[in-house]
Amino acid sequence: MTTTRALVLGGGGLAGIAWETGVLAGLAEEGIDVGATADRVVGTSAGAAVAVQLGSGLTLPELLARQTDPALQNEELAPAGESIGELLELWAKLVAEIPDPVELRRRLGELALGAETVPEAARRAVIAGRLSRPEWPERPLTLVAVDARSGATRLFDRHSGVGLLDAVAASCAVPGIWPPVTIDGTRFVDGGIRTANNADLAAGHDHVLVLAPMADPGLDAEVAGLRRTARVAVITPDEAAAEAFGMNPLDPAVRTPAAHAGLAQGRREAAAVAEAWV
C-alpha cells in the first residue's frame, strides 16, 4: 500500500515566505527534507511562492540565501492601497457581519476590485522576480485563488491551462493591498480569503505537514478533519519568529530576520515533524 505525503504552505506576506523557507531549510538540515519528499504541495499566497520555488531546481540553501542576503533579495513594491492594519480591521468587521463564507469572499473581492493599488503589470513583474523559472514544476502542486466577483475558489495546477506566473500572482493578490489578477477575463484575488492555509485541500494523504505563518481561525477544524485519516504536524511561528515578523509582514525588511527565525525553528522542531512525516 502506497503512503503519500502532503505539504501545506500558508499565507503570510513577505515574512511568511522568508519564515517558511527558513523552516524548510532547518528541517532539511536535520534530515527531514519535506520539500523533496512531499507527493503534493498546497500553496496559498506567500505559500504559493514558496511552493513554486521548491520545484524550481534551486536547493534549500540557495532559496534561503535569497531571503537572508540583501544582495539576492527580490525587489518589492510598497503597497499603494490600505495599510495592513486598516485591512485587518476591515476584514475582522466583515467576518463578524457576514456568516456565509462565499458571500464574505465575494465582498472581499468587491473591495479588491474597487481599491486603488499599484498597476497590475507592476505587481506581476514583482512576482516574476520571485520565480527562478517560468514553467510549472513536474511535481503535483496546487495553488489557491478566489474569483473576485463570484467568491468561488479556483485551484491552479500545471493541468489548469494557466501560466505559472499568473497562478502565483493570483494566489498572492491580497484584497485592498494588491490588484486583482486578470486571467482569461476573470479577476482573481488571494486564496487566503478562503482560509489562510487551506489545509483541508491536503485531504486524502497519509502524512501532512502544515506551515502556518498567520493566525487562522479555520485551521483547527481543518487539521481535525485531516487527523481522521492522516498523521498531521503543524508549525506556527514561535515567539522569536513572531517578533521577527514585526507589525507589517509585507515590509521587505522583515525577510532576513524572519528567515533566520524560521531556520532556527525548523532545526528545533525536526524531531516532532519526523514523527508525523516519516
Side-chain angles (χ1 to χ4, degrees), residues 122-207:
R123 174 62 175 166
R124 194 173 189 275
V126 168
I127 301 299
R130 295 178 184 172
L131 310 181
S132 61
R133 56 188 298 182
E135 302 85 10
W136 281 93
E138 289 297 317
R139 71 186 308 160
L141 172 63
T142 301
L143 306 183
V144 188
V146 169
D147 185 317
R149 296 195 183 279
S150 70
T153 302
R154 177 71 185 272
L155 305 181
F156 296 115
D157 60 25
R158 63 191 178 96
H159 303 296
S160 61
V162 172
L164 180 64
L165 174 54
D166 286 335
V168 176
S171 188
C172 294
V174 182
I177 298 289
W178 303 120
V181 173
T182 306
I183 302 174
D184 296 331
T186 300
R187 309 295 301 283
F188 291 96
V189 292
D190 198 303
I193 68 171
R194 179 181 184 267
T195 71
N197 299 284
N198 294 300
D200 58 310
L201 299 179
H205 294 278
D206 305 293
H207 302 263

Side-chain angles (χ1 to χ4, degrees), residues 23-32 34 209 235 266-267 269-270 273:
V23 170
L24 292 170
L27 292 173
E29 285 185 5
E30 299 299 317
I32 313 296
V34 296
L209 172 62
I235 301 180
R267 290 167 175 162
E269 302 211 22
V273 170

Side-chain angles (χ1 to χ4, degrees), residues 9 20 41-44 46-56 137 139 141-143:
L9 300 169
E20 288 178 344
V41 182
V42 177
T44 300
V50 178
V52 169
Q53 290 166 355
L54 288 176
S56 68
R139 71 186 308 160
L141 172 63
T142 301
L143 306 183

Side-chain angles (χ1 to χ4, degrees), residues 208-242:
V208 180
L209 172 62
V210 181
L211 301 190
M214 292 182 63
D216 179 2
L219 182 59
D220 286 347
E222 291 177 349
V223 169
L226 292 172
R227 283 183 171 149
R228 296 190 185 104
T229 58
R231 296 169 67 179
V232 184
V234 179
I235 301 180
T236 59
D238 60 13
E239 184 176 349

